[in-house]
Amino acid sequence: MHRLDEETLQLEKAIVQYALERVALQPPPLDGPKSEAELSTLYGPNVTEEGIGGEEALRRFIEGYAPATLSSDHPRFLAFVPVAPTKASVLFDMVVSASCISGTSWLEAAGAIYCENEALRWLADLAGMPSTAGGTFVSGGSLANLSGLHAARQRSKERRNFERPDRWRVLSSREAHSSIASAASLMDLEVIYVPTGPDGKLTGANLDEVWAGLDDEVRASIVAVVATAGTTNAGLVDDLRSISTFTRINDLWLHVDGAYGGAALASKERWRFEGIEYADSLVIDPHKWLFAPFDAAAILYREPKYAKHALTQEAAYLDDINKAQEWNPSSYGYHLSRRVRGLPFWFSLATNGTKRYQEAIQASIDLARATVAEVERRDYVEMVTQPELSVVLFRRLGWGPEVYDRWSSQALKDGVGFVLPTEHRDEKVLRFCFVNPLTTLDDVRAILDSLAWDPRS
Ligand SMILES: *Cc1c(COP(=O)(O)O)cnc(C)c1O
């Protein structure tokens, strides 16, 4: 099964043909989930002693399992944060798979890591981070946040000569992504939640107020302030300018989570991010709004040495890598073996040029603005907040929480779109998240029109 014989050559053709047809679909089918019970009746077992053969396995996937798997790049997939990979990035992702690159160390993957680092540099430059900044690509914003907080705690440890406080702590608002609380829990960090104003945006003044109430011991146990540059739920950017003033005055690590919103550094909304240049660690997911396929999140450090101290794994079999002075991505995230998952992003950036990225990101911001006008034109829907980036929150007048759910699953079944309700200040509302430049205003209109639906019908 490791040789390319006649049978595998046939399979190669079939797989590449299917992959290329999938890439060419415009749009791809939205599809929808099926229950485990339904899926289990489709075919017999697939994993058997003798194997079912590639042709049959491919047929079952294409005909049975793929239709039960949502296409996150469908232009009307507007839930969560969709993906919208460029053709170049998807095609090059196949090259990454075919090339069997271990992206762990410079020794193993110098050329590929050089390219990944070039893409990281573009992001660091957008943020205005110094030339010494660096990092790596991990699987997602969650792991990137975990890595950033590890580096932050490492700096605190080194500054205190490894003398432990009763607990390590972070300051964060409640609007931060769930992965911050999760990383804190994994690291046994206490999260001190900083109350924000009614708009939910964290500011330096909010931090000052909480800081004033903390004693010196607690202050000294705080490893980082977490700010969000584009909240997942509402697309709001915390006031990074005043936050970064606060962190500099108090000599605290600033961790900026821009997993979704960081891409807008390349848009006309760049001004909203002023202060981001002081980030000590910064997260931006290319698989969200930078048109790369899953799974790629960038973690960047202002002073990478803390990440290196915290995250480098030590073992006899790693000595050759660790004693080298070269850039080993394994030292900058919580991972060892890794796919060079930044390479499809790099290839697409190199292919298309950064200007087309700026335009494609701006398109979603413009669409969010145009969506506001469409909402205002209809008497049965109403805006909840004004969008800053590309998330739009609005309500359907007269609907209770349960009606939202019914409409949402019906809309997916009918192929109208994939839109999920969310909560905003204890109210169930609807949320669009735009990152796909192929989503049109007509798509938005069709979904809004379907909200005229009478749930009793
Ligand atoms: C999506 C998101 C994350 C988590 O990223 P994953 O890639 O899903 O792990 C973290 N922070 C923010 C702000 C996000 O939007």
Side-chain angles (χ1 to χ4, degrees), residues 81 139-143 145 176-180 228-232 257-261 283 285 287-288 296-297:
V81 181
S139 68
S142 303
L143 211 45
N145 281 327
H177 187 263
S178 51
S179 57
I180 295 295
T228 311
T231 55
T232 319
D257 180 1
Y260 147 70
V283 174
D285 280 13
H287 72 212
K288 283 186 169 169

Side-chain angles (χ1 to χ4, degrees), residues 155-172:
R155 185 178 68 165
S156 289
K157 283 184 180 176
E158 292 183 18
R159 291 196 163 179
R160 294 173 59 122
N161 283 320
F162 297 89
E163 179 238 326
R164 282 170 190 280
D166 63 328
R167 270 313 285 265
W168 295 109
R169 299 178 173 86
V170 288
L171 294 171
S172 169

Side-chain angles (χ1 to χ4, degrees), residues 368-386:
R369 303 277 187 280
T371 297
V372 174
E374 288 296 324
V375 166
E376 284 169 352
R377 198 162 293 146
R378 290 166 171 77
D379 59 5
Y380 52 90
V381 282
E382 179 179 87
M383 292 303 298
V384 170
T385 56
Q386 287 304 308

